[in-house]
PDB file of all heavy atoms in Angstrom:
ATOM      1  N   GLU Y   1      -1.536 -22.009 -25.799  1.00 94.00           N
ATOM      2  CA  GLU Y   1      -2.654 -21.073 -25.664  1.00 94.00           C
ATOM      3  C   GLU Y   1      -3.906 -21.646 -26.323  1.00 94.00           C
ATOM      4  O   GLU Y   1      -3.830 -22.430 -27.273  1.00 94.00           O
ATOM      5  CB  GLU Y   1      -2.328 -19.734 -26.326  1.00 94.00           C
ATOM      6  CG  GLU Y   1      -1.133 -19.033 -25.767  1.00 94.00           C
ATOM      7  CD  GLU Y   1      -0.123 -18.687 -26.849  1.00 94.00           C
ATOM      8  OE1 GLU Y   1      -0.100 -19.416 -27.852  1.00 94.00           O
ATOM      9  OE2 GLU Y   1       0.608 -17.709 -26.686  1.00 94.00           O
ATOM     10  N   SER Y   2      -5.038 -21.180 -25.844  1.00 94.00           N
ATOM     11  CA  SER Y   2      -6.312 -21.518 -26.469  1.00 94.00           C
ATOM     12  C   SER Y   2      -7.331 -20.443 -26.125  1.00 94.00           C
ATOM     13  O   SER Y   2      -7.107 -19.635 -25.217  1.00 94.00           O
ATOM     14  CB  SER Y   2      -6.806 -22.886 -26.003  1.00 94.00           C
ATOM     15  OG  SER Y   2      -7.015 -22.892 -24.610  1.00 94.00           O
ATOM     16  N   GLY Y   3      -8.432 -20.431 -26.873  1.00 95.00           N
ATOM     17  CA  GLY Y   3      -9.545 -19.552 -26.524  1.00 95.00           C
ATOM     18  C   GLY Y   3      -9.781 -18.382 -27.440  1.00 95.00           C
ATOM     19  O   GLY Y   3     -10.731 -17.622 -27.236  1.00 95.00           O
ATOM     20  N   GLY Y   4      -8.955 -18.188 -28.440  1.00 93.00           N
ATOM     21  CA  GLY Y   4      -9.180 -17.075 -29.357  1.00 93.00           C
ATOM     22  C   GLY Y   4     -10.371 -17.327 -30.259  1.00 93.00           C
ATOM     23  O   GLY Y   4     -10.980 -18.396 -30.239  1.00 93.00           O
ATOM     24  N   GLY Y   5     -10.705 -16.318 -31.048  1.00 96.00           N
ATOM     25  CA  GLY Y   5     -11.808 -16.468 -31.984  1.00 96.00           C
ATOM     26  C   GLY Y   5     -12.350 -15.131 -32.441  1.00 96.00           C
ATOM     27  O   GLY Y   5     -11.732 -14.083 -32.222  1.00 96.00           O
ATOM     28  N   LEU Y   6     -13.533 -15.200 -33.046  1.00 97.00           N
ATOM     29  CA  LEU Y   6     -14.218 -14.013 -33.549  1.00 97.00           C
ATOM     30  C   LEU Y   6     -15.332 -13.640 -32.584  1.00 97.00           C
ATOM     31  O   LEU Y   6     -16.132 -14.503 -32.187  1.00 97.00           O
ATOM     32  CB  LEU Y   6     -14.806 -14.303 -34.925  1.00 97.00           C
ATOM     33  CG  LEU Y   6     -15.702 -13.228 -35.548  1.00 97.00           C
ATOM     34  CD1 LEU Y   6     -14.907 -11.953 -35.819  1.00 97.00           C
ATOM     35  CD2 LEU Y   6     -16.344 -13.762 -36.832  1.00 97.00           C
ATOM     36  N   VAL Y   7     -15.396 -12.381 -32.212  1.00 97.00           N
ATOM     37  CA  VAL Y   7     -16.429 -11.911 -31.281  1.00 97.00           C
ATOM     38  C   VAL Y   7     -16.881 -10.530 -31.717  1.00 97.00           C
ATOM     39  O   VAL Y   7     -16.107  -9.758 -32.296  1.00 97.00           O
ATOM     40  CB  VAL Y   7     -15.882 -11.902 -29.834  1.00 97.00           C
ATOM     41  CG1 VAL Y   7     -14.727 -10.931 -29.690  1.00 97.00           C
ATOM     42  CG2 VAL Y   7     -16.973 -11.613 -28.823  1.00 97.00           C
ATOM     43  N   GLN Y   8     -18.127 -10.221 -31.433  1.00 98.00           N
ATOM     44  CA  GLN Y   8     -18.660  -8.904 -31.763  1.00 98.00           C
ATOM     45  C   GLN Y   8     -18.186  -7.862 -30.763  1.00 98.00           C
ATOM     46  O   GLN Y   8     -17.896  -8.199 -29.605  1.00 98.00           O
ATOM     47  CB  GLN Y   8     -20.178  -8.957 -31.787  1.00 98.00           C
ATOM     48  CG  GLN Y   8     -20.752  -9.789 -32.929  1.00 98.00           C
ATOM     49  CD  GLN Y   8     -22.252  -9.662 -33.028  1.00 98.00           C
ATOM     50  OE1 GLN Y   8     -22.926  -9.267 -32.080  1.00 98.00           O
ATOM     51  NE2 GLN Y   8     -22.797 -10.005 -34.186  1.00 98.00           N
ATOM     52  N   PRO Y   9     -18.138  -6.617 -31.174  1.00 98.00           N
ATOM     53  CA  PRO Y   9     -17.801  -5.546 -30.211  1.00 98.00           C
ATOM     54  C   PRO Y   9     -18.717  -5.598 -29.004  1.00 98.00           C
ATOM     55  O   PRO Y   9     -19.943  -5.793 -29.138  1.00 98.00           O
ATOM     56  CB  PRO Y   9     -18.012  -4.274 -31.030  1.00 98.00           C
ATOM     57  CG  PRO Y   9     -17.756  -4.696 -32.447  1.00 98.00           C
ATOM     58  CD  PRO Y   9     -18.303  -6.080 -32.546  1.00 98.00           C
ATOM     59  N   GLY Y  10     -18.117  -5.414 -27.834  1.00 97.00           N
ATOM     60  CA  GLY Y  10     -18.874  -5.505 -26.585  1.00 97.00           C
ATOM     61  C   GLY Y  10     -18.922  -6.895 -25.993  1.00 97.00           C
ATOM     62  O   GLY Y  10     -19.368  -7.071 -24.853  1.00 97.00           O
ATOM     63  N   GLY Y  11     -18.460  -7.878 -26.742  1.00 98.00           N
ATOM     64  CA  GLY Y  11     -18.479  -9.258 -26.273  1.00 98.00           C
ATOM     65  C   GLY Y  11     -17.296  -9.601 -25.396  1.00 98.00           C
ATOM     66  O   GLY Y  11     -16.476  -8.741 -25.058  1.00 98.00           O
ATOM     67  N   SER Y  12     -17.230 -10.882 -25.035  1.00 98.00           N
ATOM     68  CA  SER Y  12     -16.190 -11.365 -24.131  1.00 98.00           C
ATOM     69  C   SER Y  12     -15.537 -12.621 -24.689  1.00 98.00           C
ATOM     70  O   SER Y  12     -16.168 -13.385 -25.430  1.00 98.00           O
ATOM     71  CB  SER Y  12     -16.798 -11.686 -22.757  1.00 98.00           C
ATOM     72  OG  SER Y  12     -17.354 -10.545 -22.155  1.00 98.00           O
ATOM     73  N   LEU Y  13     -14.292 -12.811 -24.302  1.00 98.00           N
ATOM     74  CA  LEU Y  13     -13.553 -14.032 -24.585  1.00 98.00           C
ATOM     75  C   LEU Y  13     -12.644 -14.315 -23.407  1.00 98.00           C
ATOM     76  O   LEU Y  13     -12.225 -13.381 -22.705  1.00 98.00           O
ATOM     77  CB  LEU Y  13     -12.677 -13.887 -25.845  1.00 98.00           C
ATOM     78  CG  LEU Y  13     -13.303 -14.042 -27.227  1.00 98.00           C
ATOM     79  CD1 LEU Y  13     -12.254 -13.750 -28.300  1.00 98.00           C
ATOM     80  CD2 LEU Y  13     -13.892 -15.435 -27.417  1.00 98.00           C
ATOM     81  N   ARG Y  14     -12.336 -15.593 -23.219  1.00 98.00           N
ATOM     82  CA  ARG Y  14     -11.338 -15.965 -22.225  1.00 98.00           C
ATOM     83  C   ARG Y  14     -10.248 -16.778 -22.892  1.00 98.00           C
ATOM     84  O   ARG Y  14     -10.522 -17.809 -23.503  1.00 98.00           O
ATOM     85  CB  ARG Y  14     -11.956 -16.767 -21.076  1.00 98.00           C
ATOM     86  CG  ARG Y  14     -10.973 -16.961 -19.921  1.00 98.00           C
ATOM     87  CD  ARG Y  14     -11.559 -17.714 -18.754  1.00 98.00           C
ATOM     88  NE  ARG Y  14     -11.637 -19.149 -18.995  1.00 98.00           N
ATOM     89  CZ  ARG Y  14     -11.734 -20.063 -18.041  1.00 98.00           C
ATOM     90  NH1 ARG Y  14     -11.779 -19.676 -16.768  1.00 98.00           N
ATOM     91  NH2 ARG Y  14     -11.820 -21.342 -18.338  1.00 98.00           N
ATOM     92  N   LEU Y  15      -9.030 -16.302 -22.742  1.00 98.00           N
ATOM     93  CA  LEU Y  15      -7.860 -17.012 -23.248  1.00 98.00           C
ATOM     94  C   LEU Y  15      -7.236 -17.830 -22.126  1.00 98.00           C
ATOM     95  O   LEU Y  15      -7.236 -17.395 -20.967  1.00 98.00           O
ATOM     96  CB  LEU Y  15      -6.829 -16.035 -23.805  1.00 98.00           C
ATOM     97  CG  LEU Y  15      -7.314 -15.051 -24.875  1.00 98.00           C
ATOM     98  CD1 LEU Y  15      -6.134 -14.202 -25.351  1.00 98.00           C
ATOM     99  CD2 LEU Y  15      -7.966 -15.770 -26.025  1.00 98.00           C
ATOM    100  N   SER Y  16      -6.692 -18.984 -22.494  1.00 98.00           N
ATOM    101  CA  SER Y  16      -6.008 -19.843 -21.540  1.00 98.00           C
ATOM    102  C   SER Y  16      -4.588 -20.098 -22.002  1.00 98.00           C
ATOM    103  O   SER Y  16      -4.331 -20.212 -23.204  1.00 98.00           O
ATOM    104  CB  SER Y  16      -6.736 -21.192 -21.419  1.00 98.00           C
ATOM    105  OG  SER Y  16      -8.071 -21.024 -20.991  1.00 98.00           O
ATOM    106  N   CYS Y  17      -3.690 -20.193 -21.050  1.00 97.00           N
ATOM    107  CA  CYS Y  17      -2.299 -20.508 -21.338  1.00 97.00           C
ATOM    108  C   CYS Y  17      -1.850 -21.574 -20.345  1.00 97.00           C
ATOM    109  O   CYS Y  17      -1.744 -21.290 -19.141  1.00 97.00           O
ATOM    110  CB  CYS Y  17      -1.427 -19.272 -21.225  1.00 97.00           C
ATOM    111  SG  CYS Y  17       0.347 -19.603 -21.397  1.00 97.00           S
ATOM    112  N   SER Y  18      -1.576 -22.763 -20.842  1.00 96.00           N
ATOM    113  CA  SER Y  18      -1.127 -23.865 -19.998  1.00 96.00           C
ATOM    114  C   SER Y  18       0.384 -23.998 -20.092  1.00 96.00           C
ATOM    115  O   SER Y  18       0.944 -24.038 -21.195  1.00 96.00           O
ATOM    116  CB  SER Y  18      -1.805 -25.164 -20.447  1.00 96.00           C
ATOM    117  OG  SER Y  18      -3.198 -25.079 -20.250  1.00 96.00           O
ATOM    118  N   ALA Y  19       1.020 -24.064 -18.940  1.00 95.00           N
ATOM    119  CA  ALA Y  19       2.473 -24.154 -18.862  1.00 95.00           C
ATOM    120  C   ALA Y  19       2.910 -25.584 -18.540  1.00 95.00           C
ATOM    121  O   ALA Y  19       2.171 -26.347 -17.911  1.00 95.00           O
ATOM    122  CB  ALA Y  19       3.008 -23.196 -17.800  1.00 95.00           C
ATOM    123  N   SER Y  20       4.137 -25.897 -18.947  1.00 94.00           N
ATOM    124  CA  SER Y  20       4.653 -27.254 -18.756  1.00 94.00           C
ATOM    125  C   SER Y  20       5.276 -27.465 -17.385  1.00 94.00           C
ATOM    126  O   SER Y  20       5.744 -28.563 -17.083  1.00 94.00           O
ATOM    127  CB  SER Y  20       5.697 -27.566 -19.840  1.00 94.00           C
ATOM    128  OG  SER Y  20       6.775 -26.645 -19.767  1.00 94.00           O
ATOM    129  N   ARG Y  21       5.299 -26.412 -16.567  1.00 89.00           N
ATOM    130  CA  ARG Y  21       5.814 -26.529 -15.212  1.00 89.00           C
ATOM    131  C   ARG Y  21       4.966 -25.676 -14.295  1.00 89.00           C
ATOM    132  O   ARG Y  21       4.139 -24.881 -14.758  1.00 89.00           O
ATOM    133  CB  ARG Y  21       7.285 -26.135 -15.155  1.00 89.00           C
ATOM    134  CG  ARG Y  21       7.559 -24.695 -15.455  1.00 89.00           C
ATOM    135  CD  ARG Y  21       9.051 -24.382 -15.477  1.00 89.00           C
ATOM    136  NE  ARG Y  21       9.701 -24.854 -14.270  1.00 89.00           N
ATOM    137  CZ  ARG Y  21      10.667 -25.769 -14.270  1.00 89.00           C
ATOM    138  NH1 ARG Y  21      11.091 -26.291 -15.398  1.00 89.00           N
ATOM    139  NH2 ARG Y  21      11.226 -26.145 -13.133  1.00 89.00           N
ATOM    140  N   SER Y  22       5.180 -25.831 -13.011  1.00 88.00           N
ATOM    141  CA  SER Y  22       4.394 -25.079 -12.044  1.00 88.00           C
ATOM    142  C   SER Y  22       4.495 -23.587 -12.307  1.00 88.00           C
ATOM    143  O   SER Y  22       5.579 -23.028 -12.419  1.00 88.00           O
ATOM    144  CB  SER Y  22       4.887 -25.368 -10.627  1.00 88.00           C
ATOM    145  OG  SER Y  22       4.301 -24.459  -9.720  1.00 88.00           O
ATOM    146  N   ILE Y  23       3.338 -22.949 -12.411  1.00 88.00           N
ATOM    147  CA  ILE Y  23       3.350 -21.502 -12.684  1.00 88.00           C
ATOM    148  C   ILE Y  23       3.900 -20.722 -11.497  1.00 88.00           C
ATOM    149  O   ILE Y  23       4.330 -19.581 -11.655  1.00 88.00           O
ATOM    150  CB  ILE Y  23       1.947 -20.992 -13.071  1.00 88.00           C
ATOM    151  CG1 ILE Y  23       0.929 -21.275 -11.972  1.00 88.00           C
ATOM    152  CG2 ILE Y  23       1.511 -21.591 -14.403  1.00 88.00           C
ATOM    153  CD1 ILE Y  23      -0.439 -20.673 -12.244  1.00 88.00           C
ATOM    154  N   PHE Y  24       3.938 -21.317 -10.325  1.00 87.00           N
ATOM    155  CA  PHE Y  24       4.488 -20.620  -9.153  1.00 87.00           C
ATOM    156  C   PHE Y  24       6.014 -20.654  -9.151  1.00 87.00           C
ATOM    157  O   PHE Y  24       6.640 -19.963  -8.355  1.00 87.00           O
ATOM    158  CB  PHE Y  24       3.915 -21.227  -7.876  1.00 87.00           C
ATOM    159  CG  PHE Y  24       2.425 -21.047  -7.759  1.00 87.00           C
ATOM    160  CD1 PHE Y  24       1.582 -22.141  -7.840  1.00 87.00           C
ATOM    161  CD2 PHE Y  24       1.873 -19.785  -7.618  1.00 87.00           C
ATOM    162  CE1 PHE Y  24       0.211 -21.984  -7.758  1.00 87.00           C
ATOM    163  CE2 PHE Y  24       0.497 -19.628  -7.537  1.00 87.00           C
ATOM    164  CZ  PHE Y  24      -0.340 -20.727  -7.601  1.00 87.00           C
ATOM    165  N   SER Y  25       6.608 -21.465 -10.036  1.00 88.00           N
ATOM    166  CA  SER Y  25       8.060 -21.473 -10.177  1.00 88.00           C
ATOM    167  C   SER Y  25       8.515 -20.450 -11.227  1.00 88.00           C
ATOM    168  O   SER Y  25       9.714 -20.247 -11.395  1.00 88.00           O
ATOM    169  CB  SER Y  25       8.533 -22.867 -10.589  1.00 88.00           C
ATOM    170  OG  SER Y  25       8.168 -23.169 -11.930  1.00 88.00           O
ATOM    171  N   ILE Y  26       7.551 -19.847 -11.914  1.00 90.00           N
ATOM    172  CA  ILE Y  26       7.841 -18.899 -12.982  1.00 90.00           C
ATOM    173  C   ILE Y  26       7.696 -17.487 -12.434  1.00 90.00           C
ATOM    174  O   ILE Y  26       6.668 -17.150 -11.839  1.00 90.00           O
ATOM    175  CB  ILE Y  26       6.870 -19.119 -14.167  1.00 90.00           C
ATOM    176  CG1 ILE Y  26       7.055 -20.532 -14.737  1.00 90.00           C
ATOM    177  CG2 ILE Y  26       7.086 -18.060 -15.250  1.00 90.00           C
ATOM    178  CD1 ILE Y  26       6.000 -20.934 -15.741  1.00 90.00           C
ATOM    179  N   TYR Y  27       8.704 -16.646 -12.654  1.00 91.00           N
ATOM    180  CA  TYR Y  27       8.689 -15.315 -12.050  1.00 91.00           C
ATOM    181  C   TYR Y  27       7.453 -14.514 -12.479  1.00 91.00           C
ATOM    182  O   TYR Y  27       6.787 -13.883 -11.652  1.00 91.00           O
ATOM    183  CB  TYR Y  27       9.950 -14.539 -12.390  1.00 91.00           C
ATOM    184  CG  TYR Y  27       9.882 -13.105 -11.916  1.00 91.00           C
ATOM    185  CD1 TYR Y  27       9.979 -12.806 -10.559  1.00 91.00           C
ATOM    186  CD2 TYR Y  27       9.659 -12.068 -12.806  1.00 91.00           C
ATOM    187  CE1 TYR Y  27       9.867 -11.508 -10.103  1.00 91.00           C
ATOM    188  CE2 TYR Y  27       9.549 -10.758 -12.358  1.00 91.00           C
ATOM    189  CZ  TYR Y  27       9.660 -10.487 -11.007  1.00 91.00           C
ATOM    190  OH  TYR Y  27       9.531  -9.205 -10.558  1.00 91.00           O
ATOM    191  N   ALA Y  28       7.176 -14.540 -13.778  1.00 94.00           N
ATOM    192  CA  ALA Y  28       6.016 -13.794 -14.270  1.00 94.00           C
ATOM    193  C   ALA Y  28       5.461 -14.473 -15.506  1.00 94.00           C
ATOM    194  O   ALA Y  28       6.209 -15.001 -16.333  1.00 94.00           O
ATOM    195  CB  ALA Y  28       6.391 -12.353 -14.614  1.00 94.00           C
ATOM    196  N   MET Y  29       4.144 -14.444 -15.591  1.00 96.00           N
ATOM    197  CA  MET Y  29       3.469 -14.908 -16.798  1.00 96.00           C
ATOM    198  C   MET Y  29       2.574 -13.792 -17.279  1.00 96.00           C
ATOM    199  O   MET Y  29       1.958 -13.081 -16.475  1.00 96.00           O
ATOM    200  CB  MET Y  29       2.663 -16.176 -16.525  1.00 96.00           C
ATOM    201  CG  MET Y  29       3.544 -17.378 -16.260  1.00 96.00           C
ATOM    202  SD  MET Y  29       2.637 -18.920 -16.243  1.00 96.00           S
ATOM    203  CE  MET Y  29       2.162 -19.068 -17.975  1.00 96.00           C
ATOM    204  N   GLY Y  30       2.520 -13.650 -18.578  1.00 95.00           N
ATOM    205  CA  GLY Y  30       1.736 -12.537 -19.096  1.00 95.00           C
ATOM    206  C   GLY Y  30       1.187 -12.793 -20.475  1.00 95.00           C
ATOM    207  O   GLY Y  30       1.489 -13.813 -21.104  1.00 95.00           O
ATOM    208  N   TRP Y  31       0.370 -11.877 -20.888  1.00 98.00           N
ATOM    209  CA  TRP Y  31      -0.212 -11.885 -22.231  1.00 98.00           C
ATOM    210  C   TRP Y  31       0.252 -10.636 -22.972  1.00 98.00           C
ATOM    211  O   TRP Y  31       0.191  -9.525 -22.417  1.00 98.00           O
ATOM    212  CB  TRP Y  31      -1.747 -11.903 -22.147  1.00 98.00           C
ATOM    213  CG  TRP Y  31      -2.295 -13.189 -21.646  1.00 98.00           C
ATOM    214  CD1 TRP Y  31      -2.611 -13.513 -20.362  1.00 98.00           C
ATOM    215  CD2 TRP Y  31      -2.586 -14.350 -22.435  1.00 98.00           C
ATOM    216  NE1 TRP Y  31      -3.096 -14.797 -20.306  1.00 98.00           N
ATOM    217  CE2 TRP Y  31      -3.080 -15.328 -21.563  1.00 98.00           C
ATOM    218  CE3 TRP Y  31      -2.494 -14.640 -23.791  1.00 98.00           C
ATOM    219  CZ2 TRP Y  31      -3.479 -16.596 -22.005  1.00 98.00           C
ATOM    220  CZ3 TRP Y  31      -2.888 -15.896 -24.225  1.00 98.00           C
ATOM    221  CH2 TRP Y  31      -3.369 -16.854 -23.345  1.00 98.00           C
ATOM    222  N   TYR Y  32       0.686 -10.859 -24.187  1.00 98.00           N
ATOM    223  CA  TYR Y  32       1.068  -9.786 -25.086  1.00 98.00           C
ATOM    224  C   TYR Y  32       0.193  -9.906 -26.333  1.00 98.00           C
ATOM    225  O   TYR Y  32      -0.386 -10.956 -26.597  1.00 98.00           O
ATOM    226  CB  TYR Y  32       2.540  -9.906 -25.483  1.00 98.00           C
ATOM    227  CG  TYR Y  32       3.508  -9.603 -24.370  1.00 98.00           C
ATOM    228  CD1 TYR Y  32       3.662 -10.462 -23.290  1.00 98.00           C
ATOM    229  CD2 TYR Y  32       4.283  -8.445 -24.391  1.00 98.00           C
ATOM    230  CE1 TYR Y  32       4.548 -10.184 -22.262  1.00 98.00           C
ATOM    231  CE2 TYR Y  32       5.180  -8.160 -23.371  1.00 98.00           C
ATOM    232  CZ  TYR Y  32       5.308  -9.030 -22.315  1.00 98.00           C
ATOM    233  OH  TYR Y  32       6.187  -8.743 -21.308  1.00 98.00           O
ATOM    234  N   ARG Y  33       0.140  -8.840 -27.102  1.00 98.00           N
ATOM    235  CA  ARG Y  33      -0.598  -8.917 -28.354  1.00 98.00           C
ATOM    236  C   ARG Y  33       0.132  -8.143 -29.439  1.00 98.00           C
ATOM    237  O   ARG Y  33       0.881  -7.209 -29.151  1.00 98.00           O
ATOM    238  CB  ARG Y  33      -2.015  -8.385 -28.202  1.00 98.00           C
ATOM    239  CG  ARG Y  33      -2.123  -6.894 -27.895  1.00 98.00           C
ATOM    240  CD  ARG Y  33      -3.575  -6.527 -27.589  1.00 98.00           C
ATOM    241  NE  ARG Y  33      -3.722  -5.102 -27.312  1.00 98.00           N
ATOM    242  CZ  ARG Y  33      -4.856  -4.541 -26.874  1.00 98.00           C
ATOM    243  NH1 ARG Y  33      -5.946  -5.300 -26.672  1.00 98.00           N
ATOM    244  NH2 ARG Y  33      -4.908  -3.249 -26.660  1.00 98.00           N
ATOM    245  N   GLN Y  34      -0.129  -8.555 -30.663  1.00 98.00           N
ATOM    246  CA  GLN Y  34       0.482  -7.889 -31.804  1.00 98.00           C
ATOM    247  C   GLN Y  34      -0.545  -7.770 -32.915  1.00 98.00           C
ATOM    248  O   GLN Y  34      -1.034  -8.782 -33.429  1.00 98.00           O
ATOM    249  CB  GLN Y  34       1.716  -8.642 -32.293  1.00 98.00           C
ATOM    250  CG  GLN Y  34       2.498  -7.895 -33.350  1.00 98.00           C
ATOM    251  CD  GLN Y  34       3.872  -8.489 -33.591  1.00 98.00           C
ATOM    252  OE1 GLN Y  34       4.156  -9.629 -33.235  1.00 98.00           O
ATOM    253  NE2 GLN Y  34       4.748  -7.693 -34.179  1.00 98.00           N
ATOM    254  N   ALA Y  35      -0.865  -6.526 -33.241  1.00 96.00           N
ATOM    255  CA  ALA Y  35      -1.777  -6.245 -34.341  1.00 96.00           C
ATOM    256  C   ALA Y  35      -0.961  -6.061 -35.620  1.00 96.00           C
ATOM    257  O   ALA Y  35       0.229  -5.736 -35.557  1.00 96.00           O
ATOM    258  CB  ALA Y  35      -2.589  -4.995 -34.037  1.00 96.00           C
ATOM    259  N   PRO Y  36      -1.572  -6.247 -36.784  1.00 92.00           N
ATOM    260  CA  PRO Y  36      -0.838  -6.078 -38.043  1.00 92.00           C
ATOM    261  C   PRO Y  36      -0.188  -4.708 -38.136  1.00 92.00           C
ATOM    262  O   PRO Y  36      -0.824  -3.675 -37.891  1.00 92.00           O
ATOM    263  CB  PRO Y  36      -1.933  -6.247 -39.095  1.00 92.00           C
ATOM    264  CG  PRO Y  36      -2.960  -7.094 -38.450  1.00 92.00           C
ATOM    265  CD  PRO Y  36      -2.955  -6.689 -37.001  1.00 92.00           C
ATOM    266  N   GLY Y  37       1.092  -4.705 -38.465  1.00 94.00           N
ATOM    267  CA  GLY Y  37       1.814  -3.455 -38.628  1.00 94.00           C
ATOM    268  C   GLY Y  37       2.214  -2.766 -37.349  1.00 94.00           C
ATOM    269  O   GLY Y  37       2.748  -1.648 -37.384  1.00 94.00           O
ATOM    270  N   LYS Y  38       1.973  -3.417 -36.208  1.00 96.00           N
ATOM    271  CA  LYS Y  38       2.311  -2.800 -34.916  1.00 96.00           C
ATOM    272  C   LYS Y  38       3.276  -3.687 -34.142  1.00 96.00           C
ATOM    273  O   LYS Y  38       3.401  -4.879 -34.413  1.00 96.00           O
ATOM    274  CB  LYS Y  38       1.042  -2.562 -34.104  1.00 96.00           C
ATOM    275  CG  LYS Y  38       0.107  -1.533 -34.716  1.00 96.00           C
ATOM    276  CD  LYS Y  38      -1.028  -1.189 -33.766  1.00 96.00           C
ATOM    277  CE  LYS Y  38      -1.911  -0.103 -34.343  1.00 96.00           C
ATOM    278  NZ  LYS Y  38      -3.010   0.254 -33.407  1.00 96.00           N
ATOM    279  N   GLN Y  39       3.904  -3.084 -33.155  1.00 97.00           N
ATOM    280  CA  GLN Y  39       4.812  -3.837 -32.304  1.00 97.00           C
ATOM    281  C   GLN Y  39       4.029  -4.651 -31.279  1.00 97.00           C
ATOM    282  O   GLN Y  39       2.899  -4.306 -30.904  1.00 97.00           O
ATOM    283  CB  GLN Y  39       5.767  -2.876 -31.579  1.00 97.00           C
ATOM    284  CG  GLN Y  39       6.799  -2.238 -32.494  1.00 97.00           C
ATOM    285  CD  GLN Y  39       7.873  -1.496 -31.720  1.00 97.00           C
ATOM    286  OE1 GLN Y  39       7.624  -1.016 -30.614  1.00 97.00           O
ATOM    287  NE2 GLN Y  39       9.058  -1.432 -32.269  1.00 97.00           N
ATOM    288  N   ARG Y  40       4.651  -5.713 -30.836  1.00 97.00           N
ATOM    289  CA  ARG Y  40       4.046  -6.517 -29.773  1.00 97.00           C
ATOM    290  C   ARG Y  40       4.032  -5.695 -28.482  1.00 97.00           C
ATOM    291  O   ARG Y  40       5.011  -5.025 -28.153  1.00 97.00           O
ATOM    292  CB  ARG Y  40       4.846  -7.807 -29.577  1.00 97.00           C
ATOM    293  CG  ARG Y  40       4.154  -8.845 -28.739  1.00 97.00           C
ATOM    294  CD  ARG Y  40       4.914 -10.174 -28.753  1.00 97.00           C
ATOM    295  NE  ARG Y  40       4.950 -10.769 -30.087  1.00 97.00           N
ATOM    296  CZ  ARG Y  40       5.418 -11.990 -30.331  1.00 97.00           C
ATOM    297  NH1 ARG Y  40       5.858 -12.738 -29.330  1.00 97.00           N
ATOM    298  NH2 ARG Y  40       5.429 -12.448 -31.556  1.00 97.00           N
TER     299      ARG Y  40
END
């Protein structure tokens, strides 16, 4: 993964996730997040 950082409210970011094999061979790809003290 890449692309994280600090941004102001209302701003934008783009995250990237590069896979080691063709993404079309993978059933599903997704993004999850985990905040402190919370579940993913």
Side-chain angles (χ1 to χ4, degrees):
E1 300 126 332
S2 61
L6 173 64
V7 63
Q8 292 188 340
S12 298
L13 279 176
R14 189 178 77 159
L15 306 182
S16 301
C17 174
S18 296
S20 60
R21 66 184 308 118
S22 169
I23 58 174
F24 296 112
S25 71
I26 298 170
Y27 173 72
M29 290 191 68
W31 290 93
Y32 290 70
R33 66 187 181 188
Q34 188 167 18
K38 294 188 177 181
Q39 289 190 332
R40 193 172 296 188

